[in-house]
Amino acid sequence: KQEVTQIPAALSVPEGENLALNCSFTDSAIYNLQWFRQDPGKGLTSLLLIQSSQREQTSGRLNASLDKSSGRSTLYIAASQPGDSATYLCAVLTGTASKLTFGTGTRLQVTL
Amino acid sequence: DGGITQSPKYLFRKEGQNVTLSCEQNLNHDAMYWYRQDPGQGLRLIYYSQIVNDFQKGDIAEGYSVSREKKESFPLTVTSAQKNPTAFYLCASSIWGSDEQYFGPGTRLTVT
């Protein structure tokens, strides 16, 4: 059974810092990995999707890497801003039926 | 505007009552999903549907029921058999076989 872990559970950084959020998964037979952002009490917004054949994806200040063999992904946020404060979730797609397995998330706070 | 709507945003019920959560999408997506989110936990899949008039149990289907009579709609009923119904419920949709799921804003259900 696939398990997804995100460490740390919470992170506080000053504005302007570059930061890395980690995601690990137990079964390397994934189709893809997605990073989502969730603001308090809201739904999920997709940030980046990395196919299993890819090593990384970039969107603006966000960059996500994928090392399938070691079961790890890292979301890098450059020049963090207070507006980046949110919970970041990673999810992996395995098996049939487009079933996503989610991590528990990292709650990020960027302070002024 | 294309997207997924969930209503209501907040729902309160007494223990022992069934309650139905609405999910509608106008993205012309084939597949729809219901997830449950509890504090400090990742999203867990309740039910999913690939096409109209067909749906499958997810990881935590006990105490829930769904229907898929129209492509656009996938309502979730939380029955009195669900032992811990208080949670945040998220609906998602995707093109079947596609990698990316799109999420609605969620419904927070409180049962007392």
Side-chain angles (χ1 to χ4, degrees):
Chain A
K1 181 186 170 187
Q2 179 73 270
E3 292 182 6
V4 180
T5 303
Q6 291 186 248
I7 295 173
L11 181 64
S12 181
V13 300
E15 182 180 14
E17 271 204 9
N18 301 329
L19 58 99
L21 307 180
N22 298 306
C23 172
S24 61
F25 46 94
T26 54
D27 183 353
S28 62
I30 65 170
Y31 292 112
N32 64 53
L33 183 144
Q34 258 183 285
W35 283 95
F36 294 89
R37 169 185 173 137
Q38 185 177 31
D39 293 291
K42 307 285 188 185
L44 276 62
T45 301
S46 179
L47 298 173
L48 291 166
L49 185 150
I50 313 175
Q51 299 291 354
S52 62
S53 58
Q54 297 175 317
R55 299 282 294 185
E56 67 175 344
Q57 276 286 357
T58 299
S59 176
R61 294 183 294 108
L62 305 179
N63 174 276
S65 67
L66 174 63
D67 184 343
K68 203 174 74 161
S69 60
S70 68
R72 294 177 187 273
S73 176
T74 302
L75 177 67
Y76 299 95
I77 302 177
S80 58
Q81 304 170 358
D84 295 330
S85 298
T87 296
Y88 291 81
L89 296 159
C90 72
V92 295
L93 187 71
T94 52
T96 59
S98 295
K99 291 178 66 174
L100 285 172
T101 302
F102 283 84
T104 53
T106 294
R107 190 171 66 254
L108 172 66
Q109 183 174 7
V110 181
T111 58
L112 291 169
Chain B
D1 262 337
I4 303 174
T5 57
Q6 291 185 242
S7 61
K9 186 172 181 179
Y10 299 98
L11 193 51
F12 298 89
R13 280 294 182 271
K14 295 287 188 187
E15 193 174 325
Q17 294 179 334
N18 292 353
V19 59
T20 298
L21 282 61
S22 167
C23 178
E24 305 274 335
Q25 54 97 1
N26 60 6
L27 300 168
N28 200 33
H29 285 171
D30 309 297
M32 297 186 73
Y33 311 80
W34 273 107
Y35 293 90
R36 169 184 173 136
Q37 186 177 33
D38 294 282
Q41 296 194 37
L43 278 69
R44 293 180 290 169
L45 182 65
I46 305 173
Y47 267 99
Y48 63 98
S49 168
Q50 302 173 28
I51 56 171
V52 173
N53 293 322
D54 183 61
F55 47 83
Q56 308 294 330
K57 291 182 179 180
D59 300 319
I60 55 164
E62 186 175 347
Y64 299 98
S65 65
V66 293
S67 63
R68 187 87 186 276
E69 297 176 1
K70 298 187 299 182
K71 188 176 185 179
E72 305 80 28
S73 178
F74 191 39
L76 173 74
T77 296
V78 184
T79 74
S80 56
Q82 169 49 235
K83 290 182 172 48
N84 296 297
T86 294
F88 189 50
Y89 290 87
L90 287 158
C91 177
S93 70
S94 71
I95 296 171
W96 184 246
S98 166
D99 303 329
E100 199 162 4
Q101 292 184 18
Y102 296 83
F103 283 78
T107 292
R108 184 165 299 281
L109 172 65
T110 302
V111 176
T112 57

